[in-house]
Amino acid sequence: MASFDIVSEVDKQEIDNAVNQARKELATRFDLKDAQTEIVSEKEKLVLTADDGAHLKALRDVVIGRLSRRGVDLRNIEHGEPAISSVGHARQELKIVQGLEGDKAREIIQAIKFQGFKVQSQLQDRQIRVTGKKKDELQAVIQFVRSRDFGVATNFKNFRD
């Protein structure tokens, strides 16, 4: 039986590279020259802090632009609500989504079943394992999943004959 896995992962090294590039750009930006801006990279999120809402928006635009240029799929970045205090500090979290959650995984599995492919698909540890007898059928499933937008990045790995 041939099989492959459908996963939704973001490369951590690319995120680190994008954050470092954003920090370098912030040091040279004239509109953010005297602003106190900071990017903190935590385990599964980025925390952006700035002096006010306008600086926070500029900071977020720089970070999102750098993530996009580094090839990070922005569908796996969830934007939290910006928290702007009355004293002028602004903070926002960008959550990095790794793996397929329950609803998205069920949506992908149902779409594969609805198309009538002769494969079995099941959720295993935040990824979907698709198995079938024919390699051509699995390649058709890959093409189908690539052609649809499920709201998350879909990658394929562990293709086995």
Side-chain angles (χ1 to χ4, degrees):
M1 290 285 260
S3 67
F4 70 91
D5 295 331
I6 301 173
V7 297
S8 180
E9 296 177 346
V10 177
D11 188 7
K12 295 269 191 195
Q13 187 62 47
E14 289 300 326
I15 291 174
D16 288 341
N17 292 341
V19 167
N20 289 335
Q21 287 179 351
R23 286 182 181 138
K24 287 180 184 177
E25 183 177 339
L26 291 174
T28 61
R29 290 265 304 249
F30 183 75
D31 59 338
L32 298 172
K33 184 177 181 181
D34 294 329
Q36 295 294 323
T37 58
E38 183 181 19
I39 305 168
V40 178
S41 180
E42 295 179 4
K43 185 173 182 176
E44 292 294 323
K45 63 183 175 182
L46 300 173
V47 179
L48 311 177
T49 56
D51 290 338
D52 57 13
H55 288 133
L56 180 66
K57 183 180 181 322
L59 175 62
R60 184 181 62 234
D61 290 344
V62 168
V63 170
I64 294 297
R66 290 296 171 179
L67 287 170
S68 174
R69 286 188 195 130
R70 295 296 305 182
V72 175
D73 198 327
L74 297 180
R75 293 178 291 185
N76 282 20
I77 307 293
E78 290 181 359
H79 301 268
E81 281 295 316
I84 301 172
S85 70
S86 60
V87 254
H89 297 300
R91 183 175 193 267
Q92 184 175 16
E93 292 183 358
L94 302 178
K95 184 180 174 193
I96 301 163
V97 179
Q98 296 279 30
L100 292 168
E101 298 299 326
D103 292 337
K104 291 294 179 185
R106 280 192 284 281
E107 180 183 345
I108 293 171
I109 291 171
Q110 290 298 325
I112 291 171
K113 286 182 182 178
F114 184 72
Q115 287 296 316
F117 294 113
K118 295 180 182 177
V119 296
Q120 292 82 37
S121 53
Q122 58 189 4
L123 182 63
Q124 293 180 345
D125 192 34
R126 298 174 67 155
Q127 64 186 14
I128 299 172
R129 169 73 46 95
V130 180
T131 58
K133 292 182 180 177
K134 296 182 180 179
K135 186 163 80 169
D136 294 340
E137 196 73 24
L138 294 178
Q139 289 173 343
V141 171
I142 290 174
Q143 290 301 319
F144 168 71
V145 172
R146 279 190 180 143
S147 68
R148 299 251 336 249
D149 183 22
F150 292 104
V152 293
T154 52
N155 304 324
F156 308 96
K157 66 179 189 179
N158 296 334
F159 192 92
R160 295 187 178 106
D161 284 334

